[in-house]
Amino acid sequence: MTGRLAGIDAWRGISVALVALSHLARWSNLQTNFTRETSVALGHLGQLGVEVFFGISGFVIARGLLHEARLGRISFRAFYIRRCFRILPPLVLYLAAVVILVVLGSLPPEALQALRSLTFTCNIVACGDYSGWHLWSLSVEEQFYIALPLLFFLSAGYWRITVPLACLAMPFCTIALYGTGHNELATALRMFLTIAAGVLCAFAETQLVPAVRRASGWTFGVAVIAVVALWMTPSTAATTVVQCFALPAAIMWVLLGAAMRDGVVNSLLARSPLPRLGLISYGVYLWQELATYPWPGAGPLFYLLSTVGCVAVAAASYRWIEQPLIDRGRQLARAQGQRVPAATDRPPAGHHLTASAACHCSTDVRTAQPSALGVVRL
């Protein structure tokens, strides 16, 4: 796993596996094989998997922008070139498959509404039938990719203050919106709380690295239990307040432990198939929706084969479509005057964090120093 941190990729793998399992339990024809309580519980765990993805994205994207600032400049143009070449090709391929299945009559016409996902508004208006439901989370991430660099730009020389303050304010604003009866706005803002926690951790990385390394191992196990317990707890006025603050913090504590610590658990995760699944998790996340679709007459054998097929398609997509286009995006970003680290710039594996669905930076987590004021470039 050269140039990547296997612990983070393992959590990506765990997260996408939880999403696929929850969809099998709640929406596929296999749902009749689960009790209602089991189906609901697995559904909650699938949503939790998405939250873990959000935390990773917030940390990695913010860390990449801080790294660019340390080099002297942040180029929006280069950033969005890399984003487009990373996100759009697999999404367009998936949407093409949906269109073909609609033309063949295998999916209903409303499935074509999944094309709206190209506007990244599926968290505002549902995108089609089940085949497009999962694209809401991609819309959340893309809106974050727009908002965070824009906040850097608008903050001018004060981004080291304004960006963390904006993230710290988000849970308070969420609670205030719930308290004043603006539930829809509060729910929409709540989708971004774990992303904001990831951003805060990137800004505080220098302080967090020694704290995470000194912490007792049991604290990370407790954090995992706390994450699951908080997520599964029914929402009331009191529990919502706790969830808005404690849940993102607990998720990030677990992820930071995976990113910055050695140990038996991280070693086992790194040697398991989970990091490889995490490497292709974006493709798996897209295609699992068709693999778990409630196809007429589909049974256990079909869903076993469709799940295996989903992983195979995602692996092929990553090998022959995504990785070449990611490299092409880096080349175009360099042409914009933005230095993007090449594969040969990387320190030994396991000593830094890069993004599979985000930026690719080569800063060691043990020595990362958020920069002094950098130049924000359009």
Side-chain angles (χ1 to χ4, degrees):
M1 303 294 292
T2 302
R4 303 179 61 83
L5 195 66
I8 287 293
D9 274 331
W11 278 100
R12 284 193 180 99
I14 292 170
S15 298
V16 79
L18 287 175
V19 170
L21 179 60
S22 71
H23 288 182
L24 281 170
R26 294 203 69 180
W27 305 110
S28 77
N29 295 343
L30 298 181
Q31 60 184 288
T32 56
N33 297 327
F34 296 87
T35 65
R36 183 181 181 280
E37 291 75 15
T38 301
S39 178
V40 170
L42 289 174
H44 285 314
L45 289 178
Q47 295 169 9
L48 179 57
V50 174
E51 288 293 317
V52 174
F53 277 124
F54 286 166
I56 294 172
S57 291
F59 180 65
V60 172
I61 290 294
R63 192 171 185 271
L65 289 173
L66 288 169
H67 176 69
E68 291 179 8
R70 186 170 65 88
L71 294 176
R73 60 179 176 264
I74 297 174
S75 171
F76 285 175
R77 191 175 301 170
F79 176 82
Y80 288 119
I81 286 173
R82 295 197 305 273
R83 292 293 77 233
C84 288
F85 273 81
R86 179 63 185 102
I87 298 298
L88 290 179
L91 176 61
V92 170
L93 182 63
Y94 174 78
L95 293 175
V98 170
V99 170
I100 291 172
L101 289 171
V102 171
V103 171
L104 294 175
S106 299
L107 288 176
E110 56 264 30
L112 290 176
Q113 296 176 26
L115 294 172
R116 193 187 301 123
S117 63
L118 293 171
T119 66
F120 303 115
T121 57
C122 291
N123 61 325
I124 300 172
V125 180
C127 289
D129 74 337
Y130 176 77
S131 60
W133 287 355
H134 64 319
L135 298 175
W136 72 270
S137 60
L138 183 60
S139 296
V140 169
E141 293 213 25
E142 290 304 312
Q143 290 163 17
F144 160 67
Y145 296 152
I146 293 172
L148 184 63
L150 184 61
L151 185 55
F152 268 83
F153 175 69
L154 294 177
S155 301
Y158 301 98
W159 54 264
R160 296 185 69 176
I161 299 173
T162 56
V163 175
L165 282 179
C167 293
L168 285 170
M170 288 177 66
F172 292 98
C173 292
T174 301
I175 298 303
L177 287 170
Y178 275 126
T180 55
H182 297 87
N183 292 346
E184 291 187 3
L185 284 175
T187 300
L189 185 59
R190 190 174 179 178
M191 296 178 187
F192 294 88
L193 295 185
T194 306
I195 295 178
V199 174
L200 284 172
C201 288
F203 270 80
E205 184 177 342
T206 303
Q207 293 75 34
L208 285 172
V209 170
V212 170
R213 292 190 176 278
R214 287 196 304 265
S216 299
W218 62 265
T219 63
F220 300 95
V222 170
V224 172
I225 295 172
V227 166
V228 175
L230 285 168
W231 192 260
M232 303 294 282
T233 302
S235 291
T236 63
T239 59
T240 295
V241 173
V242 176
Q243 288 168 342
C244 286
F245 287 96
L247 184 61
I251 289 174
M252 290 312 305
W253 185 249
V254 173
L255 292 177
L256 290 173
M260 300 173 182
R261 287 174 61 94
D262 299 320
V264 176
V265 174
N266 282 347
S267 178
L268 290 174
L269 287 176
R271 295 174 184 176
S272 73
L274 288 170
R276 299 185 185 279
L277 181 61
L279 187 66
I280 61 172
S281 58
Y282 178 42
V284 174
Y285 185 78
L286 289 174
W287 291 97
Q288 56 80 33
E289 205 77 353
L290 290 180
T292 60
Y293 195 89
W295 302 103
L301 179 59
F302 172 87
Y303 286 112
L304 174 62
L305 295 175
S306 68
T307 301
V308 173
C310 165
V311 175
V313 169
S317 172
Y318 184 81
R319 172 64 178 84
W320 286 295
I321 297 176
E322 297 171 46
Q323 194 61 57
L325 288 175
I326 290 171
D327 293 339
R328 179 57 177 162
R330 292 180 189 168
Q331 293 169 6
L332 291 175
R334 292 190 194 103
Q336 300 299 322
Q338 168 73 35
R339 182 182 181 277
V340 180
T344 54
D345 294 332
R346 296 167 178 165
H351 285 238
H352 74 285
L353 177 64
T354 59
S356 76
C359 62
H360 293 259
C361 52
S362 61
T363 307
D364 193 310
V365 296
R366 300 178 186 182
T367 61
Q369 294 288 340
S371 71
L373 175 63
V375 179
V376 181
R377 294 183 51 190
L378 293 176

